[in-house]
Amino acid sequence: MRNLASKAATGAKARRSATAGIAGALTAALLLLTGCSGGDGGSGDDDGGKRGKGGGNASGPAPASGELDLPTSVLKQRIAWDRCAGPTVNQGRQPGAEGPPKALAGTDWECTKVKVPLDYDNPKGKTIDIALIRAKAKEQGKQRIGSLLFNFGGPGGSGITTMPQAANPDYKKLNTRYDLVSFDPRGVGESATVKCRRDADIDASRGVDGTPDDRTEFAKAEADQKDFTAGCKERSGDRLRHMTTTNTARDMDVIRQLLGDEKLHYFGISYGTQLGGVYAHLFPKRVGRAVLDAVVDPTKSEVQGSLAQAKGFQLALGNYMKDCAKQAKCPTGKGGAAGTKVITDLLAKLDKQPMKTQLGRDLTQGDALTGIASLLYSKDTWKYLTQSLQKAEQGDGSYLLLFADVYTGRDQQGKYSNENEAHAAIACADTTERYDADDVKKQLPAFKKASPIFGEMLAYGLLSCSDWPAKGESKTPEVSAPGAAKMLVIGNTGDPATPYEGAARMADKIGDAAVQMTYEGEGHGAYGQGDCVTSAVDDYLLDGKVPDDGKRCS
């Protein structure tokens, strides 16, 4: 989802990485805080119809022939793999992810960079570097299938950082027959890095009210957004117009060829499902075994997508409160309207006066929203939301601020990854939609009705691309993929960031190649959340066994 604490973040698309990576980072961060402070820790509608033929979005790019017209300097470059160093500041250095990544069941992670055209309309022109990471398959003989390329979401998330975190234990079985490969997409991490602000300026921006109550607050928010946009233009310039998902999909086909794979085997999560759908549209004959999990709805406008997210996060919060109500001393009581009021009262209090923390910075309303949202991505992190709200009741905003830091890519030294800046660059290059203050004013009632907690911030987030220096590509992405191999499309009924109905719409737009699965559960993403989904995906990826269309798991 949009980073609720930062006006830099844009778009209604989901923006977190794999659940395993989030939970691990958050847990490590919490342990760091409690270790330093001696804290007590506290207490512990199906939208699938008949499958279409892949409806069209006339404004999207036309299907490609299946091969890019690339110069030999790109296609014949040699990949020089080497042991990975630790993630850089741009890639994000959260607790538990410092230093070189730990080996995956004895297999070291290797890293490299490859060159791709900056502008595919001028493939012989300027090139940019794309950073890659891999763990070679255990089986290197006939049992090896090839490479399995991952994108964990965003847009803006670093695959170099997330892949080693998420692989153990989630993808160890897949590593038996696949080289596990991920990358920093263009604009992200160490791949043609987009930068817009200094760290101190980002800290200051987080103090600007993202839900302005009067003209003065709105003027400050508007000035902050314009300053951010100007910084992106000044520091990243003409590069911004090339940061589209379409170009990243083309980069993936270059990666496929350089890895020596005839087909692209792919695992996309969250925004990675949009990227996978765009790739399948451009290169349908090159699609191998592909999994799309936590699916972005490719049919929604920015307003519709943001509104759906407001409903999705409110649903997830309601489910959390029902679960919390079973425990003693639940901070949201019995949940429902009374539980929602507990949180709205906290946010209103923070709007008037930020809360002190043990981190040397105050907790603002925006950071509290971000911290709460981050802990709704997985049922495994609900316990940390309980602890965070309990601490806030006691006048200590440390936990919520710490989780907001993890979510926004701020490390313990006050350095930020470029995730939010890359998110803005990619989202604004993708969409043609631009909104102004009147648009937001018109939409506010619907957003507040959808979510009294998250709605207003998501509505004001629609302004993020209003003055962007590069034109957007299309209103919605084109994902129709006639002739592609079977692709597994998985929706989660309790997903806050990519609501469940998006999976059916993605499957419908892809067309006959799509095989839809449903996970009846909580959290963002289904793989790894139970034997039913995980076994079906493993059987498909490892043995080519395609599950029945419409399969449901719980």
Side-chain angles (χ1 to χ4, degrees):
M1 76 180 279
R2 179 180 293 105
N3 180 339
L4 294 173
S6 173
K7 276 61 66 185
T10 76
K13 314 310 181 195
R15 28 170 343 274
R16 264 298 94 179
S17 50
T19 296
I22 303 167
L26 292 175
T27 303
L30 182 60
L31 289 172
L32 178 67
L33 179 60
T34 55
C36 292
S37 66
D40 59 30
S43 63
D45 154 71
D46 192 335
D47 197 38
K50 292 185 178 179
R51 189 78 71 244
K53 296 292 183 181
N57 168 18
S59 63
S65 63
E67 298 294 343
L68 293 168
D69 182 16
L70 299 173
T72 7
S73 58
V74 171
L75 285 179
K76 299 297 183 183
Q77 62 185 299
R78 296 181 63 185
I79 300 184
W81 293 101
D82 201 357
R83 291 283 294 275
C84 296
T88 67
V89 169
N90 286 329
Q91 291 167 329
R93 300 185 300 193
Q94 292 299 338
E98 306 95 337
K102 295 179 181 178
L104 178 61
T107 301
D108 288 325
W109 292 97
E110 300 176 304
C111 290
T112 193
K113 289 185 176 181
V114 298
K115 294 190 178 298
V116 301
L118 172 64
D119 182 358
Y120 280 93
D121 289 334
N122 181 24
K124 294 182 179 179
K126 190 179 297 184
T127 62
I128 56 175
D129 289 338
I130 302 295
L132 298 174
I133 188 170
R134 78 169 178 185
K136 294 175 70 174
K138 301 295 183 186
E139 299 285 348
Q140 285 295 317
K142 292 182 179 179
Q143 292 300 308
R144 178 183 176 275
I145 296 170
S147 303
L148 181 60
L149 186 65
F150 286 77
N151 181 279
F152 295 99
S158 166
I160 307 299
T161 300
T162 307
M163 183 81 255
Q165 294 178 1
N168 191 7
D170 280 2
Y171 307 122
K172 284 171 66 175
K173 187 173 182 180
L174 298 176
N175 188 223
T176 57
R177 301 185 65 194
Y178 284 104
D179 295 350
L180 301 185
V181 182
S182 192
F183 65 114
D184 287 352
R186 56 172 58 207
V188 178
E190 294 302 324
S191 297
T193 313
V194 169
K195 291 297 290 182
C196 304
R197 272 182 167 162
R198 299 176 304 165
D199 296 322
D201 295 329
I202 301 174
D203 270 343
S205 176
R206 287 172 64 176
V208 176
D209 195 333
T211 56
D213 302 313
D214 53 41
R215 290 183 180 179
T216 301
E217 288 187 349
F218 183 83
K220 288 181 180 178
E222 186 177 42
D224 181 68
Q225 177 61 46
K226 288 183 177 180
D227 179 75
F228 171 79
T229 301
C232 295
K233 183 178 180 180
E234 179 183 352
R235 297 183 181 212
S236 298
D238 185 60
R239 181 181 290 179
L240 294 175
R241 67 188 179 94
H242 300 293
M243 295 297 144
T244 62
T245 296
T246 299
N247 280 335
T248 297
R250 291 171 177 140
D251 294 341
M252 292 202 309
D253 202 61
V254 175
I255 292 168
R256 172 193 66 78
Q257 294 180 65
L258 294 176
L259 292 174
D261 292 321
E262 183 180 348
K263 303 280 187 178
L264 181 75
H265 304 301
Y266 179 74
F267 203 131
I269 301 163
S270 192
Y271 161 78
T273 65
Q274 177 182 328
L275 177 58
V278 170
Y279 179 89
H281 173 71
L282 292 173
F283 308 102
K285 300 298 183 184
R286 291 297 181 184
V287 174
R289 299 172 189 174
V291 176
L292 308 182
D293 185 10
V295 182
V296 170
D297 188 335
T299 70
K300 288 188 180 296
S301 68
E302 291 295 302
V303 166
Q304 293 168 336
S306 291
L307 192 59
Q309 269 197 339
K311 294 176 182 176
F313 272 88
Q314 192 66 37
L315 172 65
L317 181 63
N319 292 341
Y320 155 75
M321 290 192 293
K322 288 178 185 176
D323 184 75
C324 182
K326 302 172 187 176
Q327 307 168 26
K329 299 181 180 179
C330 172
T332 53
K334 294 182 179 180
T340 296
K341 187 175 184 301
V342 169
I343 297 178
T344 55
D345 286 350
L346 170 63
L347 295 173
K349 183 179 178 181
L350 291 170
D351 193 28
K352 294 178 180 178
Q353 180 65 52
M355 185 179 292
K356 296 297 181 182
T357 75
Q358 302 168 46
L359 303 176
R361 293 174 291 128
D362 291 346
L363 175 71
T364 64
Q365 180 193 52
D367 278 334
L369 274 168
T370 301
I372 292 168
S374 74
L375 294 167
L376 292 174
Y377 275 84
S378 169
K379 192 172 183 179
D380 291 340
T381 58
W382 285 2
K383 59 186 176 184
Y384 301 136
L385 179 53
T386 297
Q387 294 171 4
S388 298
L389 293 174
Q390 287 172 337
K391 284 290 186 183
E393 280 182 340
Q394 299 165 14
D396 183 357
S398 302
Y399 283 21
L400 284 175
L401 181 58
L402 182 58
F403 293 134
D405 283 348
V406 173
Y407 193 85
T408 54
R410 188 186 195 273
D411 68 17
Q412 300 305 305
Q413 289 73 47
K415 301 291 186 181
Y416 283 87
S417 75
N418 87 314
E419 183 173 357
N420 286 333
E421 294 148 311
H423 181 84
I426 297 164
C428 294
D430 277 351
T431 182
T432 56
E433 296 187 272
R434 302 291 186 258
Y435 300 98
D436 59 24
D438 288 339
D439 295 319
V440 172
K441 185 177 179 180
K442 188 184 302 182
Q443 295 295 335
L444 266 176
F447 274 79
K448 289 180 178 180
K449 182 179 179 181
S451 174
I453 308 294
F454 305 104
E456 192 173 2
M457 184 70 85
L458 285 165
Y460 276 105
L462 295 171
L463 298 173
S464 299
C465 292
S466 57
D467 295 314
W468 198 250
K471 291 183 179 180
E473 186 174 72
S474 62
K475 184 176 180 180
T476 55
E478 178 58 273
V479 298
S480 61
K486 293 296 184 183
M487 302 169 64
L488 199 51
V489 180
I490 310 171
N492 184 344
T493 57
D495 197 316
T498 51
Y500 170 64
E501 62 270 14
R505 294 189 180 122
M506 175 69 83
D508 185 64
K509 285 295 181 181
I510 286 173
D512 290 339
V515 175
Q516 190 181 348
M517 282 183 60
T518 293
Y519 173 63
E520 297 172 345
E522 307 298 336
H524 185 44
Y527 184 81
Q529 296 219 53
D531 289 342
C532 179
V533 171
T534 304
S535 295
V537 172
D538 287 349
D539 288 347
Y540 165 69
L541 288 174
L542 293 171
D543 300 315
K545 296 178 182 177
V546 180
D548 293 336
D549 190 26
K551 181 180 176 66
R552 302 183 76 88
C553 294
S554 58

